[in-house]
Structures are given as C-alpha cells and as structure tokens.
Amino acid sequence: EVIMVSGNPGALMPTPHCAIAYEPSPACSPQPDPCDAEVYSAYEETLQAIFDEIFRIREGKPVILRTHDWYLPWGPVAVWEACDCLELCIECSRQESAAIHRAAASRGVPVADYLTTFSGPDGDKVLPKDWTPDGVHPTAEASAELAKVMAGLGYELVEPPAE
C-alpha cells in the first residue's frame, strides 16, 4: 500500500498570486506580492497536518508515504510572461517547492523532485508543450516520466515521527 500526497496551495495563498493555468488572452491583475517562506507557511502547515492525519489513521504503523513538488508548466509561464511577472512567479514556484520539501522533511516523507528533474537546477525551464497540451496537466507519456521519478524514491517505510 502506497500513499502519495499531491496538492497545490490554492486558497491558502494570499491574493493576488501567480496564474496556475494557461489563458490565451490573460487579464493581468496587479503584480503578485513577492514570495518567501512566510507566504507558503499555511501550505507547509497544511501538508504537515495531512501527513500527521495519515499517521493517525494508520495508528502509528509505518507506511509507504510519498509526495512531490511541481514541474514548471508552460501554460502559467506564458501568462507570467504576458503579464510581466515571469521572474517573480518563477521564484514563487521555487518557494512552493521548498515548502513541500520542508513539510515532508519534518515528517520523514520522501519527495519526488519534479521541479529539478523536469525544470532544471534553477527551476526555470518549462515542461514541453507536447507533454502538457492544456498548459498544465501531463499526458500519459509525461505521467509515465513523472511516475519514474516517484518510483525512484523506492518503497521504504516511513515511520511516524516521535511525539
């Protein structure tokens, strides 16, 4: 039994924030606020609470638990370029990834590093358009590549953290 936690910060983010989908003719809102660890603190805490709930449901038994950060999809990047907030939003993407890694590390949960694997060491290269035709969601081919990164984490059990 493998449990994989996946989710974006959505409503936990202050507004306005960077676009998360492709819009062919974006209505650019005011510049997003700069991102730092504090911006993602609620997201980080929510992920920790999700991991804790999984451990609670498992009644303290070890579990194969994994999560992942996010690759940089071309759709939002196109909107960021059009709205003149590319660098700021790439930094937000890096900060979101860092929050996922911090939350997972605090509970001993391995993270599939999609951002570095698919978007490069600086997290600034977009996933190819043919892998995400709608600008965000992966095709079957791309999903298979994501799955390889996840499988590369192995299947070691994660022990619930000591209280």
Side-chain angles (χ1 to χ4, degrees), residues 87-162:
E87 290 304 315
L88 187 142
C89 289
I90 285 176
E91 180 57 26
C92 289
S93 178
R94 290 182 193 120
Q95 290 296 329
E96 179 180 339
S97 177
I100 293 166
H101 284 265
R102 285 190 305 273
S106 75
R107 302 305 191 264
V109 176
V111 180
D113 191 352
Y114 295 162
L115 184 64
T116 301
T117 302
F118 298 105
S119 299
D122 296 325
D124 60 355
K125 295 181 179 25
V126 297
L127 218 57
K129 283 187 177 185
D130 61 332
W131 278 23
T132 55
D134 72 351
V136 177
H137 301 98
T139 61
E141 175 189 3
S143 294
E145 294 302 314
L146 296 170
K148 287 178 189 176
V149 176
M150 184 64 69
L153 296 175
Y155 299 94
E156 296 290 322
L157 291 170
V158 175
E159 296 282 341

Side-chain angles (χ1 to χ4, degrees), residues 1-56:
E1 197 172 76
V2 177
I3 300 172
M4 199 262 301
V5 174
S6 177
N8 65 49
L12 298 171
M13 290 297 299
T15 55
H17 61 277
C18 300
I20 61 170
Y22 177 64
E23 300 168 37
S25 299
C28 299
S29 56
Q31 277 287 89
D33 292 331
C35 292
D36 58 17
E38 185 60 33
V39 170
Y40 286 95
S41 62
Y43 181 47
E44 189 174 335
E45 290 168 9
T46 299
L47 288 171
Q48 290 168 332
I50 291 167
F51 298 143
D52 291 345
E53 181 65 8
I54 291 167
F55 292 131
R56 187 195 65 73

Side-chain angles (χ1 to χ4, degrees), residues 64-85:
I64 303 172
L65 178 59
R66 304 291 184 265
T67 192
H68 63 84
D69 61 12
W70 297 96
Y71 51 83
L72 196 59
W74 68 265
V77 170
V79 173
W80 303 343
E81 287 175 330
C83 294
D84 196 30
C85 58

